[in-house]
Amino acid sequence: MRPSGPRRKSELKIDIEGLPEGKSHVDVLCFDLVYFTRPAQFIILSAGVFFFYLLYGYYQELIFSLPGFTGYGWYLTLLQFGYYTVFGKIEMLIRQEKRKVPLKTYTFLALTTVATMGFSNASLGYLNYPTQVIFKCCKLIPVLIGGILIQGKKHGMLDFVASGFMCLGLILFTLADSKLSPNFDMTGVFMISLALVADAIIGNVQDKTIKQYNASNSEVVLYSYSIGFVYLFFLVAVFTDIASAIHYCSYYPKQTYGYAFIFSLTGYLGIQIVLGLVRQFGAFTAVTVTTFRKALSIVLSFIFFSKPFTIHYIYSGILVMIGIYINMYSKNKESSMVLMCKRLFYRIKKLFYAPRMKMERGTLTI
């Protein structure tokens, strides 16, 4: 039996201030949120997603609202890739990180990045911003088709039902836009569709690359966009009138180069926060937050930028949102977020639905 009494100094337990037990670092934009509670972390990250991406969408549409800018979407993408390269390099220097992934992998990753960003930006010259956002919400469709054709995946019935709702909503929204929008062109639909296909490919490649080589987000961003910048430079120089684009932007330096800087910075910071949201709360929660952000972007687009409006936009958009919800439900049937949505829908139903009341002699039956 050990003697009682004061222990030696070497046996005393010393509490050193540091990382809380059972928690890992939550690094977002050089800030560590580990000391915040999980609800506080969720609120901070979600607010960051809304703030940066709403600014991103606003400045993107603001640039394309300039008179005569329609044909310079690829030049804007070149500027965006240049800014992203600088931001990624600065972050890697601050974090003192080195490349882990072979350059051969980045050559393909950069090609798909150029396709998804370039076609997405260029499509705004032919489509309304809300139409572009609605198409972006339907990334499940090319992912579903690609999974079947490329990997031979088997999907459940709910996935096909979700894609059916999305397709129907897209068709109705596009038809409404074609009748109302003065600058509607099927070229824009083709471009945003190619952007979605490339986006479906890039998601799988990025996920595999990060897991296989344990690469950081800043490394993937730096090399994907720097190599993509080289691709884009030759593409813009050969197939577009780059001299005309430079000449046009020299007349509107603040509205082009200045807004492009804000547009690129908010997009870069938004990417980092979304990745932090995925790491801490899972892809399902991140998709839920970004989907609501896209819905708010559409509403703000109609508020800040004058454009024709029809009721068809509302019910076609609702069909797309139903498809997104069904897709999320099929993957997370027991998720707390899904259960919360169920309770919310039930309460809304109780507000608008009143049960019938039948009078009987001396009694009231409900």
Side-chain angles (χ1 to χ4, degrees), residues 78 81-82 84-85 99 101-114 219-235:
L78 179 68
F81 271 62
Y84 275 32
T85 300
R99 179 174 58 85
V101 182
L103 286 175
K104 181 180 178 182
T105 304
Y106 282 126
T107 55
F108 175 72
L109 194 58
L111 186 64
T112 55
T113 306
V114 166
E219 177 193 338
V220 175
V221 169
L222 171 62
Y223 287 95
S224 298
Y225 285 92
S226 59
I227 297 174
F229 179 84
V230 177
Y231 290 161
L232 263 176
F233 181 79
F234 285 103
L235 180 68

PDB file of all heavy atoms in Angstrom, residues 78 81-82 84-85 99 101-114 219-235:
ATOM      1  N   LEU A  78      -9.481  34.132 -67.129  1.00  0.00           N
ATOM      2  CA  LEU A  78      -8.019  34.231 -67.092  1.00  0.00           C
ATOM      3  C   LEU A  78      -7.573  35.093 -65.920  1.00  0.00           C
ATOM      4  O   LEU A  78      -6.631  34.740 -65.190  1.00  0.00           O
ATOM      5  CB  LEU A  78      -7.509  34.808 -68.416  1.00  0.00           C
ATOM      6  CG  LEU A  78      -5.993  34.990 -68.536  1.00  0.00           C
ATOM      7  CD1 LEU A  78      -5.289  33.646 -68.568  1.00  0.00           C
ATOM      8  CD2 LEU A  78      -5.652  35.789 -69.800  1.00  0.00           C
ATOM      9  N   PHE A  81      -8.104  33.121 -62.647  1.00  0.00           N
ATOM     10  CA  PHE A  81      -7.071  32.105 -62.435  1.00  0.00           C
ATOM     11  C   PHE A  81      -5.767  32.754 -61.975  1.00  0.00           C
ATOM     12  O   PHE A  81      -5.040  32.184 -61.142  1.00  0.00           O
ATOM     13  CB  PHE A  81      -6.846  31.300 -63.717  1.00  0.00           C
ATOM     14  CG  PHE A  81      -7.735  30.097 -63.844  1.00  0.00           C
ATOM     15  CD1 PHE A  81      -9.109  30.246 -63.913  1.00  0.00           C
ATOM     16  CD2 PHE A  81      -7.207  28.822 -63.870  1.00  0.00           C
ATOM     17  CE1 PHE A  81      -9.938  29.142 -64.027  1.00  0.00           C
ATOM     18  CE2 PHE A  81      -8.025  27.712 -63.976  1.00  0.00           C
ATOM     19  CZ  PHE A  81      -9.395  27.862 -64.057  1.00  0.00           C
ATOM     20  N   GLY A  82      -5.456  33.925 -62.528  1.00  0.00           N
ATOM     21  CA  GLY A  82      -4.248  34.624 -62.100  1.00  0.00           C
ATOM     22  C   GLY A  82      -4.323  35.038 -60.639  1.00  0.00           C
ATOM     23  O   GLY A  82      -3.367  34.847 -59.873  1.00  0.00           O
ATOM     24  N   TYR A  84      -6.272  33.662 -58.297  1.00  0.00           N
ATOM     25  CA  TYR A  84      -6.268  32.454 -57.472  1.00  0.00           C
ATOM     26  C   TYR A  84      -4.856  31.901 -57.305  1.00  0.00           C
ATOM     27  O   TYR A  84      -4.496  31.375 -56.243  1.00  0.00           O
ATOM     28  CB  TYR A  84      -7.167  31.378 -58.103  1.00  0.00           C
ATOM     29  CG  TYR A  84      -8.632  31.488 -57.746  1.00  0.00           C
ATOM     30  CD1 TYR A  84      -9.229  32.710 -57.510  1.00  0.00           C
ATOM     31  CD2 TYR A  84      -9.440  30.351 -57.650  1.00  0.00           C
ATOM     32  CE1 TYR A  84     -10.565  32.829 -57.192  1.00  0.00           C
ATOM     33  CE2 TYR A  84     -10.793  30.452 -57.331  1.00  0.00           C
ATOM     34  CZ  TYR A  84     -11.347  31.690 -57.108  1.00  0.00           C
ATOM     35  OH  TYR A  84     -12.673  31.795 -56.787  1.00  0.00           O
ATOM     36  N   THR A  85      -4.042  31.989 -58.344  1.00  0.00           N
ATOM     37  CA  THR A  85      -2.656  31.528 -58.269  1.00  0.00           C
ATOM     38  C   THR A  85      -1.874  32.320 -57.229  1.00  0.00           C
ATOM     39  O   THR A  85      -1.131  31.760 -56.420  1.00  0.00           O
ATOM     40  CB  THR A  85      -1.979  31.653 -59.646  1.00  0.00           C
ATOM     41  OG1 THR A  85      -2.692  30.863 -60.609  1.00  0.00           O
ATOM     42  CG2 THR A  85      -0.536  31.180 -59.589  1.00  0.00           C
ATOM     43  N   ARG A  99       4.815  20.849 -52.300  1.00  0.00           N
ATOM     44  CA  ARG A  99       3.969  20.037 -53.175  1.00  0.00           C
ATOM     45  C   ARG A  99       4.147  18.551 -52.893  1.00  0.00           C
ATOM     46  O   ARG A  99       5.254  18.063 -52.736  1.00  0.00           O
ATOM     47  CB  ARG A  99       4.312  20.331 -54.643  1.00  0.00           C
ATOM     48  CG  ARG A  99       3.508  19.515 -55.635  1.00  0.00           C
ATOM     49  CD  ARG A  99       3.790  19.957 -57.063  1.00  0.00           C
ATOM     50  NE  ARG A  99       5.190  19.846 -57.396  1.00  0.00           N
ATOM     51  CZ  ARG A  99       5.779  18.727 -57.829  1.00  0.00           C
ATOM     52  NH1 ARG A  99       5.066  17.609 -57.952  1.00  0.00           N
ATOM     53  NH2 ARG A  99       7.059  18.722 -58.117  1.00  0.00           N
ATOM     54  N   VAL A 101       1.672  16.210 -54.594  1.00  0.00           N
ATOM     55  CA  VAL A 101       1.017  15.534 -55.709  1.00  0.00           C
ATOM     56  C   VAL A 101       1.867  15.684 -56.966  1.00  0.00           C
ATOM     57  O   VAL A 101       2.393  16.774 -57.235  1.00  0.00           O
ATOM     58  CB  VAL A 101      -0.388  16.127 -55.956  1.00  0.00           C
ATOM     59  CG1 VAL A 101      -1.100  15.392 -57.086  1.00  0.00           C
ATOM     60  CG2 VAL A 101      -1.205  16.074 -54.676  1.00  0.00           C
ATOM     61  N   PRO A 102       2.016  14.614 -57.785  1.00  0.00           N
ATOM     62  CA  PRO A 102       2.781  14.726 -59.038  1.00  0.00           C
ATOM     63  C   PRO A 102       2.165  15.751 -59.986  1.00  0.00           C
ATOM     64  O   PRO A 102       0.945  15.911 -60.046  1.00  0.00           O
ATOM     65  CB  PRO A 102       2.691  13.309 -59.625  1.00  0.00           C
ATOM     66  CG  PRO A 102       2.351  12.423 -58.474  1.00  0.00           C
ATOM     67  CD  PRO A 102       1.542  13.243 -57.537  1.00  0.00           C
ATOM     68  N   LEU A 103       3.019  16.438 -60.733  1.00  0.00           N
ATOM     69  CA  LEU A 103       2.536  17.450 -61.674  1.00  0.00           C
ATOM     70  C   LEU A 103       1.653  16.841 -62.757  1.00  0.00           C
ATOM     71  O   LEU A 103       0.777  17.519 -63.302  1.00  0.00           O
ATOM     72  CB  LEU A 103       3.726  18.169 -62.320  1.00  0.00           C
ATOM     73  CG  LEU A 103       4.489  19.165 -61.437  1.00  0.00           C
ATOM     74  CD1 LEU A 103       5.699  19.706 -62.173  1.00  0.00           C
ATOM     75  CD2 LEU A 103       3.573  20.304 -61.009  1.00  0.00           C
ATOM     76  N   LYS A 104       1.879  15.570 -63.075  1.00  0.00           N
ATOM     77  CA  LYS A 104       1.073  14.889 -64.094  1.00  0.00           C
ATOM     78  C   LYS A 104      -0.404  14.883 -63.698  1.00  0.00           C
ATOM     79  O   LYS A 104      -1.295  15.060 -64.535  1.00  0.00           O
ATOM     80  CB  LYS A 104       1.576  13.458 -64.282  1.00  0.00           C
ATOM     81  CG  LYS A 104       0.824  12.678 -65.347  1.00  0.00           C
ATOM     82  CD  LYS A 104       1.383  11.273 -65.476  1.00  0.00           C
ATOM     83  CE  LYS A 104       0.595  10.470 -66.509  1.00  0.00           C
ATOM     84  NZ  LYS A 104       1.111   9.075 -66.618  1.00  0.00           N
ATOM     85  N   THR A 105      -0.664  14.702 -62.405  1.00  0.00           N
ATOM     86  CA  THR A 105      -2.049  14.712 -61.920  1.00  0.00           C
ATOM     87  C   THR A 105      -2.654  16.097 -62.062  1.00  0.00           C
ATOM     88  O   THR A 105      -3.814  16.252 -62.439  1.00  0.00           O
ATOM     89  CB  THR A 105      -2.098  14.266 -60.447  1.00  0.00           C
ATOM     90  OG1 THR A 105      -1.497  12.981 -60.317  1.00  0.00           O
ATOM     91  CG2 THR A 105      -3.535  14.199 -59.945  1.00  0.00           C
ATOM     92  N   TYR A 106      -1.857  17.121 -61.785  1.00  0.00           N
ATOM     93  CA  TYR A 106      -2.361  18.489 -61.850  1.00  0.00           C
ATOM     94  C   TYR A 106      -2.636  18.942 -63.287  1.00  0.00           C
ATOM     95  O   TYR A 106      -3.467  19.840 -63.502  1.00  0.00           O
ATOM     96  CB  TYR A 106      -1.382  19.454 -61.189  1.00  0.00           C
ATOM     97  CG  TYR A 106      -1.461  19.435 -59.679  1.00  0.00           C
ATOM     98  CD1 TYR A 106      -0.335  19.214 -58.903  1.00  0.00           C
ATOM     99  CD2 TYR A 106      -2.678  19.645 -59.024  1.00  0.00           C
ATOM    100  CE1 TYR A 106      -0.407  19.196 -57.522  1.00  0.00           C
ATOM    101  CE2 TYR A 106      -2.754  19.633 -57.642  1.00  0.00           C
ATOM    102  CZ  TYR A 106      -1.622  19.403 -56.898  1.00  0.00           C
ATOM    103  OH  TYR A 106      -1.710  19.383 -55.538  1.00  0.00           O
ATOM    104  N   THR A 107      -1.938  18.354 -64.262  1.00  0.00           N
ATOM    105  CA  THR A 107      -2.192  18.752 -65.652  1.00  0.00           C
ATOM    106  C   THR A 107      -3.622  18.402 -66.062  1.00  0.00           C
ATOM    107  O   THR A 107      -4.285  19.185 -66.759  1.00  0.00           O
ATOM    108  CB  THR A 107      -1.206  18.060 -66.597  1.00  0.00           C
ATOM    109  OG1 THR A 107      -1.258  16.642 -66.405  1.00  0.00           O
ATOM    110  CG2 THR A 107       0.211  18.556 -66.364  1.00  0.00           C
ATOM    111  N   PHE A 108      -4.112  17.241 -65.616  1.00  0.00           N
ATOM    112  CA  PHE A 108      -5.496  16.864 -65.921  1.00  0.00           C
ATOM    113  C   PHE A 108      -6.480  17.646 -65.051  1.00  0.00           C
ATOM    114  O   PHE A 108      -7.528  18.104 -65.522  1.00  0.00           O
ATOM    115  CB  PHE A 108      -5.693  15.364 -65.710  1.00  0.00           C
ATOM    116  CG  PHE A 108      -7.125  14.917 -65.896  1.00  0.00           C
ATOM    117  CD1 PHE A 108      -7.699  14.866 -67.151  1.00  0.00           C
ATOM    118  CD2 PHE A 108      -7.901  14.565 -64.798  1.00  0.00           C
ATOM    119  CE1 PHE A 108      -9.018  14.471 -67.325  1.00  0.00           C
ATOM    120  CE2 PHE A 108      -9.223  14.159 -64.962  1.00  0.00           C
ATOM    121  CZ  PHE A 108      -9.777  14.110 -66.231  1.00  0.00           C
ATOM    122  N   LEU A 109      -6.139  17.818 -63.782  1.00  0.00           N
ATOM    123  CA  LEU A 109      -7.005  18.552 -62.866  1.00  0.00           C
ATOM    124  C   LEU A 109      -7.171  19.999 -63.320  1.00  0.00           C
ATOM    125  O   LEU A 109      -8.267  20.573 -63.246  1.00  0.00           O
ATOM    126  CB  LEU A 109      -6.418  18.503 -61.450  1.00  0.00           C
ATOM    127  CG  LEU A 109      -7.318  18.913 -60.285  1.00  0.00           C
ATOM    128  CD1 LEU A 109      -8.561  18.050 -60.241  1.00  0.00           C
ATOM    129  CD2 LEU A 109      -6.551  18.805 -58.966  1.00  0.00           C
ATOM    130  N   ALA A 110      -6.101  20.595 -63.814  1.00  0.00           N
ATOM    131  CA  ALA A 110      -6.160  21.974 -64.306  1.00  0.00           C
ATOM    132  C   ALA A 110      -7.056  22.087 -65.534  1.00  0.00           C
ATOM    133  O   ALA A 110      -7.779  23.072 -65.704  1.00  0.00           O
ATOM    134  CB  ALA A 110      -4.756  22.470 -64.645  1.00  0.00           C
ATOM    135  N   LEU A 111      -7.028  21.062 -66.395  1.00  0.00           N
ATOM    136  CA  LEU A 111      -7.849  21.081 -67.605  1.00  0.00           C
ATOM    137  C   LEU A 111      -9.337  21.093 -67.262  1.00  0.00           C
ATOM    138  O   LEU A 111     -10.123  21.866 -67.831  1.00  0.00           O
ATOM    139  CB  LEU A 111      -7.513  19.867 -68.472  1.00  0.00           C
ATOM    140  CG  LEU A 111      -8.171  19.799 -69.850  1.00  0.00           C
ATOM    141  CD1 LEU A 111      -7.698  20.956 -70.718  1.00  0.00           C
ATOM    142  CD2 LEU A 111      -7.864  18.464 -70.521  1.00  0.00           C
ATOM    143  N   THR A 112      -9.745  20.255 -66.313  1.00  0.00           N
ATOM    144  CA  THR A 112     -11.152  20.225 -65.905  1.00  0.00           C
ATOM    145  C   THR A 112     -11.543  21.500 -65.153  1.00  0.00           C
ATOM    146  O   THR A 112     -12.674  21.970 -65.263  1.00  0.00           O
ATOM    147  CB  THR A 112     -11.424  18.999 -65.013  1.00  0.00           C
ATOM    148  OG1 THR A 112     -10.513  18.998 -63.899  1.00  0.00           O
ATOM    149  CG2 THR A 112     -11.249  17.707 -65.797  1.00  0.00           C
ATOM    150  N   THR A 113     -10.595  22.067 -64.411  1.00  0.00           N
ATOM    151  CA  THR A 113     -10.864  23.321 -63.708  1.00  0.00           C
ATOM    152  C   THR A 113     -11.096  24.460 -64.693  1.00  0.00           C
ATOM    153  O   THR A 113     -11.997  25.288 -64.506  1.00  0.00           O
ATOM    154  CB  THR A 113      -9.696  23.679 -62.767  1.00  0.00           C
ATOM    155  OG1 THR A 113      -9.428  22.566 -61.894  1.00  0.00           O
ATOM    156  CG2 THR A 113     -10.029  24.893 -61.922  1.00  0.00           C
ATOM    157  N   VAL A 114     -10.284  24.496 -65.743  1.00  0.00           N
ATOM    158  CA  VAL A 114     -10.467  25.504 -66.795  1.00  0.00           C
ATOM    159  C   VAL A 114     -11.841  25.362 -67.429  1.00  0.00           C
ATOM    160  O   VAL A 114     -12.547  26.356 -67.676  1.00  0.00           O
ATOM    161  CB  VAL A 114      -9.364  25.367 -67.864  1.00  0.00           C
ATOM    162  CG1 VAL A 114      -9.725  26.170 -69.118  1.00  0.00           C
ATOM    163  CG2 VAL A 114      -8.032  25.841 -67.317  1.00  0.00           C
ATOM    164  N   GLU A 219      -2.446  23.719 -51.700  1.00  0.00           N
ATOM    165  CA  GLU A 219      -1.611  23.121 -52.751  1.00  0.00           C
ATOM    166  C   GLU A 219      -2.433  22.797 -53.990  1.00  0.00           C
ATOM    167  O   GLU A 219      -2.047  23.110 -55.120  1.00  0.00           O
ATOM    168  CB  GLU A 219      -0.947  21.837 -52.245  1.00  0.00           C
ATOM    169  CG  GLU A 219      -0.122  21.137 -53.313  1.00  0.00           C
ATOM    170  CD  GLU A 219       0.290  19.727 -52.938  1.00  0.00           C
ATOM    171  OE1 GLU A 219       0.311  19.426 -51.723  1.00  0.00           O
ATOM    172  OE2 GLU A 219       0.564  18.931 -53.857  1.00  0.00           O
ATOM    173  N   VAL A 220      -3.601  22.168 -53.771  1.00  0.00           N
ATOM    174  CA  VAL A 220      -4.465  21.803 -54.892  1.00  0.00           C
ATOM    175  C   VAL A 220      -4.915  23.045 -55.646  1.00  0.00           C
ATOM    176  O   VAL A 220      -4.911  23.086 -56.886  1.00  0.00           O
ATOM    177  CB  VAL A 220      -5.685  20.994 -54.399  1.00  0.00           C
ATOM    178  CG1 VAL A 220      -6.654  20.726 -55.542  1.00  0.00           C
ATOM    179  CG2 VAL A 220      -5.244  19.677 -53.783  1.00  0.00           C
ATOM    180  N   VAL A 221      -5.277  24.095 -54.907  1.00  0.00           N
ATOM    181  CA  VAL A 221      -5.726  25.339 -55.546  1.00  0.00           C
ATOM    182  C   VAL A 221      -4.584  25.970 -56.331  1.00  0.00           C
ATOM    183  O   VAL A 221      -4.752  26.380 -57.489  1.00  0.00           O
ATOM    184  CB  VAL A 221      -6.264  26.324 -54.489  1.00  0.00           C
ATOM    185  CG1 VAL A 221      -6.479  27.707 -55.099  1.00  0.00           C
ATOM    186  CG2 VAL A 221      -7.574  25.812 -53.907  1.00  0.00           C
ATOM    187  N   LEU A 222      -3.396  26.073 -55.718  1.00  0.00           N
ATOM    188  CA  LEU A 222      -2.260  26.739 -56.369  1.00  0.00           C
ATOM    189  C   LEU A 222      -1.902  26.077 -57.691  1.00  0.00           C
ATOM    190  O   LEU A 222      -1.836  26.740 -58.736  1.00  0.00           O
ATOM    191  CB  LEU A 222      -1.050  26.738 -55.441  1.00  0.00           C
ATOM    192  CG  LEU A 222       0.268  27.209 -56.073  1.00  0.00           C
ATOM    193  CD1 LEU A 222       0.148  28.662 -56.540  1.00  0.00           C
ATOM    194  CD2 LEU A 222       1.432  27.054 -55.095  1.00  0.00           C
ATOM    195  N   TYR A 223      -1.676  24.764 -57.679  1.00  0.00           N
ATOM    196  CA  TYR A 223      -1.187  24.099 -58.886  1.00  0.00           C
ATOM    197  C   TYR A 223      -2.301  23.890 -59.913  1.00  0.00           C
ATOM    198  O   TYR A 223      -2.043  23.923 -61.121  1.00  0.00           O
ATOM    199  CB  TYR A 223      -0.515  22.775 -58.521  1.00  0.00           C
ATOM    200  CG  TYR A 223       0.826  22.981 -57.864  1.00  0.00           C
ATOM    201  CD1 TYR A 223       0.947  22.993 -56.471  1.00  0.00           C
ATOM    202  CD2 TYR A 223       1.967  23.212 -58.618  1.00  0.00           C
ATOM    203  CE1 TYR A 223       2.173  23.219 -55.860  1.00  0.00           C
ATOM    204  CE2 TYR A 223       3.200  23.433 -58.018  1.00  0.00           C
ATOM    205  CZ  TYR A 223       3.291  23.432 -56.637  1.00  0.00           C
ATOM    206  OH  TYR A 223       4.496  23.661 -56.047  1.00  0.00           O
ATOM    207  N   SER A 224      -3.519  23.693 -59.469  1.00  0.00           N
ATOM    208  CA  SER A 224      -4.627  23.553 -60.420  1.00  0.00           C
ATOM    209  C   SER A 224      -4.831  24.845 -61.195  1.00  0.00           C
ATOM    210  O   SER A 224      -4.994  24.835 -62.425  1.00  0.00           O
ATOM    211  CB  SER A 224      -5.925  23.184 -59.684  1.00  0.00           C
ATOM    212  OG  SER A 224      -5.809  21.949 -59.036  1.00  0.00           O
ATOM    213  N   TYR A 225      -4.807  25.975 -60.486  1.00  0.00           N
ATOM    214  CA  TYR A 225      -5.098  27.248 -61.130  1.00  0.00           C
ATOM    215  C   TYR A 225      -3.887  27.850 -61.825  1.00  0.00           C
ATOM    216  O   TYR A 225      -4.032  28.575 -62.814  1.00  0.00           O
ATOM    217  CB  TYR A 225      -5.681  28.230 -60.115  1.00  0.00           C
ATOM    218  CG  TYR A 225      -7.106  27.923 -59.758  1.00  0.00           C
ATOM    219  CD1 TYR A 225      -7.417  27.111 -58.672  1.00  0.00           C
ATOM    220  CD2 TYR A 225      -8.163  28.417 -60.516  1.00  0.00           C
ATOM    221  CE1 TYR A 225      -8.736  26.799 -58.357  1.00  0.00           C
ATOM    222  CE2 TYR A 225      -9.478  28.121 -60.218  1.00  0.00           C
ATOM    223  CZ  TYR A 225      -9.755  27.311 -59.129  1.00  0.00           C
ATOM    224  OH  TYR A 225     -11.053  27.007 -58.824  1.00  0.00           O
ATOM    225  N   SER A 226      -2.663  27.575 -61.345  1.00  0.00           N
ATOM    226  CA  SER A 226      -1.475  28.109 -62.025  1.00  0.00           C
ATOM    227  C   SER A 226      -1.252  27.404 -63.356  1.00  0.00           C
ATOM    228  O   SER A 226      -0.968  28.058 -64.376  1.00  0.00           O
ATOM    229  CB  SER A 226      -0.240  27.965 -61.125  1.00  0.00           C
ATOM    230  OG  SER A 226      -0.010  26.597 -60.796  1.00  0.00           O
ATOM    231  N   ILE A 227      -1.393  26.079 -63.381  1.00  0.00           N
ATOM    232  CA  ILE A 227      -1.281  25.345 -64.655  1.00  0.00           C
ATOM    233  C   ILE A 227      -2.467  25.685 -65.551  1.00  0.00           C
ATOM    234  O   ILE A 227      -2.323  25.842 -66.765  1.00  0.00           O
ATOM    235  CB  ILE A 227      -1.195  23.829 -64.390  1.00  0.00           C
ATOM    236  CG1 ILE A 227       0.066  23.498 -63.598  1.00  0.00           C
ATOM    237  CG2 ILE A 227      -1.211  23.041 -65.705  1.00  0.00           C
ATOM    238  CD1 ILE A 227       0.175  22.050 -63.162  1.00  0.00           C
ATOM    239  N   GLY A 228      -3.647  25.821 -64.941  1.00  0.00           N
ATOM    240  CA  GLY A 228      -4.816  26.224 -65.708  1.00  0.00           C
ATOM    241  C   GLY A 228      -4.648  27.609 -66.315  1.00  0.00           C
ATOM    242  O   GLY A 228      -5.157  27.880 -67.408  1.00  0.00           O
ATOM    243  N   PHE A 229      -3.934  28.501 -65.619  1.00  0.00           N
ATOM    244  CA  PHE A 229      -3.678  29.845 -66.151  1.00  0.00           C
ATOM    245  C   PHE A 229      -2.883  29.763 -67.449  1.00  0.00           C
ATOM    246  O   PHE A 229      -3.146  30.510 -68.407  1.00  0.00           O
ATOM    247  CB  PHE A 229      -2.912  30.672 -65.117  1.00  0.00           C
ATOM    248  CG  PHE A 229      -2.581  32.070 -65.569  1.00  0.00           C
ATOM    249  CD1 PHE A 229      -3.504  33.095 -65.439  1.00  0.00           C
ATOM    250  CD2 PHE A 229      -1.343  32.365 -66.122  1.00  0.00           C
ATOM    251  CE1 PHE A 229      -3.214  34.387 -65.859  1.00  0.00           C
ATOM    252  CE2 PHE A 229      -1.039  33.652 -66.550  1.00  0.00           C
ATOM    253  CZ  PHE A 229      -1.979  34.658 -66.412  1.00  0.00           C
ATOM    254  N   VAL A 230      -1.904  28.853 -67.502  1.00  0.00           N
ATOM    255  CA  VAL A 230      -1.112  28.667 -68.727  1.00  0.00           C
ATOM    256  C   VAL A 230      -2.003  28.157 -69.856  1.00  0.00           C
ATOM    257  O   VAL A 230      -1.935  28.652 -70.994  1.00  0.00           O
ATOM    258  CB  VAL A 230       0.057  27.690 -68.472  1.00  0.00           C
ATOM    259  CG1 VAL A 230       0.841  27.446 -69.762  1.00  0.00           C
ATOM    260  CG2 VAL A 230       0.977  28.223 -67.384  1.00  0.00           C
ATOM    261  N   TYR A 231      -2.838  27.148 -69.553  1.00  0.00           N
ATOM    262  CA  TYR A 231      -3.786  26.647 -70.553  1.00  0.00           C
ATOM    263  C   TYR A 231      -4.662  27.788 -71.079  1.00  0.00           C
ATOM    264  O   TYR A 231      -4.859  27.951 -72.285  1.00  0.00           O
ATOM    265  CB  TYR A 231      -4.694  25.579 -69.942  1.00  0.00           C
ATOM    266  CG  TYR A 231      -4.037  24.265 -69.615  1.00  0.00           C
ATOM    267  CD1 TYR A 231      -4.635  23.380 -68.708  1.00  0.00           C
ATOM    268  CD2 TYR A 231      -2.837  23.885 -70.197  1.00  0.00           C
ATOM    269  CE1 TYR A 231      -4.054  22.167 -68.400  1.00  0.00           C
ATOM    270  CE2 TYR A 231      -2.251  22.675 -69.888  1.00  0.00           C
ATOM    271  CZ  TYR A 231      -2.860  21.814 -68.980  1.00  0.00           C
ATOM    272  OH  TYR A 231      -2.278  20.610 -68.682  1.00  0.00           O
ATOM    273  N   LEU A 232      -5.214  28.544 -70.148  1.00  0.00           N
ATOM    274  CA  LEU A 232      -6.160  29.605 -70.505  1.00  0.00           C
ATOM    275  C   LEU A 232      -5.501  30.704 -71.327  1.00  0.00           C
ATOM    276  O   LEU A 232      -6.126  31.261 -72.250  1.00  0.00           O
ATOM    277  CB  LEU A 232      -6.769  30.218 -69.236  1.00  0.00           C
ATOM    278  CG  LEU A 232      -8.127  29.696 -68.796  1.00  0.00           C
ATOM    279  CD1 LEU A 232      -8.538  30.327 -67.480  1.00  0.00           C
ATOM    280  CD2 LEU A 232      -9.182  29.974 -69.853  1.00  0.00           C
ATOM    281  N   PHE A 233      -4.269  31.026 -70.997  1.00  0.00           N
ATOM    282  CA  PHE A 233      -3.582  32.098 -71.723  1.00  0.00           C
ATOM    283  C   PHE A 233      -3.467  31.762 -73.203  1.00  0.00           C
ATOM    284  O   PHE A 233      -3.770  32.596 -74.070  1.00  0.00           O
ATOM    285  CB  PHE A 233      -2.195  32.350 -71.129  1.00  0.00           C
ATOM    286  CG  PHE A 233      -1.437  33.449 -71.808  1.00  0.00           C
ATOM    287  CD1 PHE A 233      -1.708  34.777 -71.517  1.00  0.00           C
ATOM    288  CD2 PHE A 233      -0.467  33.156 -72.765  1.00  0.00           C
ATOM    289  CE1 PHE A 233      -1.015  35.797 -72.155  1.00  0.00           C
ATOM    290  CE2 PHE A 233       0.219  34.169 -73.406  1.00  0.00           C
ATOM    291  CZ  PHE A 233      -0.055  35.488 -73.107  1.00  0.00           C
ATOM    292  N   PHE A 234      -3.042  30.524 -73.504  1.00  0.00           N
ATOM    293  CA  PHE A 234      -2.939  30.113 -74.902  1.00  0.00           C
ATOM    294  C   PHE A 234      -4.315  29.998 -75.545  1.00  0.00           C
ATOM    295  O   PHE A 234      -4.501  30.351 -76.715  1.00  0.00           O
ATOM    296  CB  PHE A 234      -2.182  28.782 -75.011  1.00  0.00           C
ATOM    297  CG  PHE A 234      -0.705  28.910 -74.801  1.00  0.00           C
ATOM    298  CD1 PHE A 234      -0.114  28.535 -73.600  1.00  0.00           C
ATOM    299  CD2 PHE A 234       0.117  29.421 -75.804  1.00  0.00           C
ATOM    300  CE1 PHE A 234       1.251  28.656 -73.404  1.00  0.00           C
ATOM    301  CE2 PHE A 234       1.492  29.555 -75.618  1.00  0.00           C
ATOM    302  CZ  PHE A 234       2.058  29.170 -74.420  1.00  0.00           C
ATOM    303  N   LEU A 235      -5.313  29.538 -74.775  1.00  0.00           N
ATOM    304  CA  LEU A 235      -6.671  29.418 -75.295  1.00  0.00           C
ATOM    305  C   LEU A 235      -7.245  30.786 -75.653  1.00  0.00           C
ATOM    306  O   LEU A 235      -7.815  30.980 -76.744  1.00  0.00           O
ATOM    307  CB  LEU A 235      -7.562  28.731 -74.253  1.00  0.00           C
ATOM    308  CG  LEU A 235      -9.026  28.522 -74.627  1.00  0.00           C
ATOM    309  CD1 LEU A 235      -9.146  27.507 -75.758  1.00  0.00           C
ATOM    310  CD2 LEU A 235      -9.825  28.046 -73.414  1.00  0.00           C
TER     311      LEU A 235
END
